Amino acid sequence: KISQGAHTGTFHLVLAGEHQRELLVIGPDATLVTDIEGAATAGQVVVSRTTAAHLPDAVIGGDIGPGLLVRRLPDDVGTFDAPAATELDRSTLVPAAVRRRAESGEKDAEHRKVAVGFVHVLGVDEHLAEHGPDRTAEALSQVTTAFATAADAADVCLLASDLAPDGAKLILTAGAPEAVEDAEGRLLVAASEALDRDLPLPVRVGAHVGHVFASEVGAPWRHVYTVIGDAVNLSARLMGKAEPGQIVASAALLERTATPFETTELEPFMVKGKRQPQRASIVGDRLEGRGRTEQLRSPFVGRAGEVAVLDAALAGATSGHGSCVDLVGPPGIGKSRLVDEVLQRSRAVERIRITCEPFQTSLPYFVARLVFRRLMRLEGHADRVEAGRRLDELVRHISPDQLPWLPLLADVVEADCEPTPEVDGLD
């Protein structure tokens, strides 16, 4: 079933972004279109009074919200000739993941689990009135580029854009068109890193995960790859619960992610199309290196040889002889469960659990920083001066002869400390 809204007016078209470009339709008249379409129910066409003035009186019905109902087609509609198919420069106008799918020739429609994010860029109408179309276009381009760049870095697809009241919407997907590990975490990472930038317009984000229908849809001369389903709708509803600068994510998404974040739970709330109250949280800072929550306890069977190797390594560590164990195997074979079993039997040993993340592959010493910061009892994004003080205490306690080289360690753990002649004298 379809509802439609139409309005005749002045619209601003912005081809926003750099390496990925989105055609955004903005302005007060675009906002009015969304209001009129929102007033229409399934099977209705509602038009503004401006559009109605161009139509015969006989086709116009009564008031529907801010518009008028179209009762029937005009008599002289004419015919529509389908345009010939044209080739476009896909390098910037089609998302990279969709481009790869098209070039592979894959056309299968499928149901799959996908993490979906809706991004609402706000304040566009006011910005347009105050600063004019050129500066507004530049602001929208900066926002689009920020989300496209963050999405690419996290293997998330900036799938599409759409009209939105007082602005524009961007749609992010993780897990479609291409499957990825930890789609939920990747979506949150992309959204939070984009929001952390100095954006020229207010932005809010909603995120949810669920089964969708994913396919190309449209006519032979124009079709798009899209995702459809309840998960998409709920993601848009959650976007409406977020304040500017916030990400609101469903409980379902946060329970599945392997990339934990600080969260503030919201009171359960009702949304359109749902009979039960929805649970969601405001997403805060990422908790680096934490990995998944502890596994469900299940009986442990076998692996006697592997357990003996790990027990021996653990015994050596507790006696002061460190070593490193590299545990390798295909997904699902039980690597995490094996490590968990050995550590559960050795609770007297201090354990530091960290996770290497694909989002941090470009950061030197990332794992070392996490280890040291755990040892210094520093959580999250601790102050650099406090980190320097804790580092000094730790080195004085463990290995005071290394104090001349403290600034080198400070670089690793992102801490501030006083310079030393020994480090200053290095090449």
Side-chain angles (χ1 to χ4, degrees):
K1 296 181 178 180
I2 300 174
S3 62
Q4 299 182 52
H7 170 57
T8 305
T10 300
F11 297 85
H12 299 271
L13 308 181
V14 178
L15 196 57
E18 294 178 1
H19 65 279
Q20 179 176 334
R21 313 198 77 182
E22 292 292 329
L23 184 63
L24 306 180
V25 183
I26 63 166
D29 285 312
T31 296
L32 181 56
V33 170
T34 64
D35 294 340
I36 291 170
E37 190 277 328
T41 59
Q44 289 183 335
V45 178
V46 177
V47 298
S48 69
R49 283 167 170 76
T50 308
T51 300
H54 296 272
L55 297 171
D57 292 341
V59 308
I60 301 299
D63 291 350
I64 299 283
L68 298 166
L69 180 66
V70 176
R71 295 192 301 178
R72 63 178 178 83
L73 283 173
D75 295 329
D76 55 346
V77 172
T79 58
F80 171 74
D81 294 323
T86 57
E87 285 296 320
L88 295 175
D89 177 11
R90 295 174 172 173
S91 61
T92 61
L93 299 178
V94 179
V98 177
R99 196 163 65 242
R100 287 191 290 269
R101 176 184 169 90
E103 290 168 353
S104 71
E106 184 179 353
K107 297 292 183 183
D108 292 339
E110 58 186 342
H111 292 273
R112 63 193 305 173
K113 183 159 277 190
V114 175
V116 183
F118 269 80
V119 180
H120 190 184
V121 187
L122 297 153
V124 172
D125 291 352
E126 181 181 348
H127 196 282
L128 190 62
E130 185 174 344
H131 300 290
D134 290 342
R135 288 183 61 182
T136 303
E138 175 58 30
L140 285 167
S141 191
Q142 289 181 38
V143 173
T144 303
T145 298
F147 276 91
T149 302
D152 283 352
D155 285 335
V156 173
C157 180
L158 199 173
L159 187 66
S161 56
D162 199 1
L163 274 74
D166 189 28
K169 281 189 293 193
L170 304 176
I171 304 169
L172 305 173
T173 56
E178 298 171 334
V180 294
E181 185 178 358
D182 187 20
E184 302 82 9
R186 291 176 182 275
L187 179 67
L188 293 180
V189 165
S192 62
E193 291 195 354
L195 286 178
D196 284 344
R197 303 191 183 194
D198 186 19
L199 300 177
L201 290 164
V203 178
R204 59 180 179 173
V205 180
H208 180 51
V209 65
H211 285 95
V212 304
F213 177 73
S215 178
E216 283 82 8
V217 298
W221 63 89
R222 182 186 185 276
H223 56 270
V224 297
Y225 179 86
T226 190
V227 292
I228 304 168
D230 183 63
V232 181
N233 300 336
L234 184 52
S235 176
R237 303 281 187 263
L238 294 175
M239 178 190 73
K241 295 294 293 185
E243 298 293 331
Q246 286 183 348
I247 303 170
V248 170
S250 67
L253 185 144
L254 294 172
E255 287 165 2
R256 286 178 55 90
T257 179
T259 308
F261 284 75
E262 295 176 355
T263 58
T264 303
E265 190 170 358
L266 298 172
E267 288 290 328
F269 55 89
M270 301 299 297
V271 299
K272 180 181 177 182
K274 291 290 185 180
R275 295 181 178 179
Q276 299 297 324
Q278 299 301 301
R279 292 170 49 235
S281 297
I282 299 169
V283 178
D285 290 334
R286 181 153 56 96
L287 301 173
E288 289 183 328
R290 293 296 177 84
R292 294 185 184 274
T293 55
E294 289 197 18
Q295 303 175 8
L296 294 173
R297 301 300 299 160
S298 55
F300 185 81
V301 179
R303 306 291 192 196
E306 291 86 349
V307 169
V309 171
L310 290 172
D311 278 341
L314 193 59
T318 56
S319 64
H321 302 288
S323 62
C324 179
V325 177
D326 192 11
L327 185 58
V328 181
I333 201 170
K335 301 184 296 296
S336 299
R337 184 67 182 86
L338 172 61
V339 173
D340 187 55
E341 178 66 20
V342 173
L343 295 180
Q344 288 294 333
R345 303 198 321 236
S346 309
R347 291 186 175 275
V349 178
E350 180 179 7
R351 291 170 286 168
I352 298 174
R353 180 187 178 96
I354 60 174
T355 300
C356 301
E357 299 172 351
F359 321 112
Q360 303 294 357
T361 54
S362 61
L363 288 183
Y365 303 116
F366 174 66
V367 174
R369 173 163 63 84
L370 294 179
V371 172
F372 272 97
R373 285 193 155 226
R374 298 285 194 277
L375 286 171
M376 295 188 292
R377 307 293 188 264
L378 292 172
E379 293 294 331
H381 305 281
D383 178 77
R384 291 180 65 98
V385 174
E386 172 64 12
R389 185 183 68 79
R390 297 277 189 92
L391 179 63
D392 185 282
E393 291 176 354
L394 181 69
V395 174
R396 286 181 188 278
H397 175 67
I398 295 176
S399 186
D401 58 319
Q402 298 298 323
L403 284 171
W405 309 108
L406 201 62
L408 300 181
L409 284 176
D411 282 344
V412 173
V413 300
E414 293 185 348
D416 290 340
C417 68
E418 295 295 325
T420 64
E422 289 82 358
V423 172
D424 289 345
L426 292 175
D427 291 347

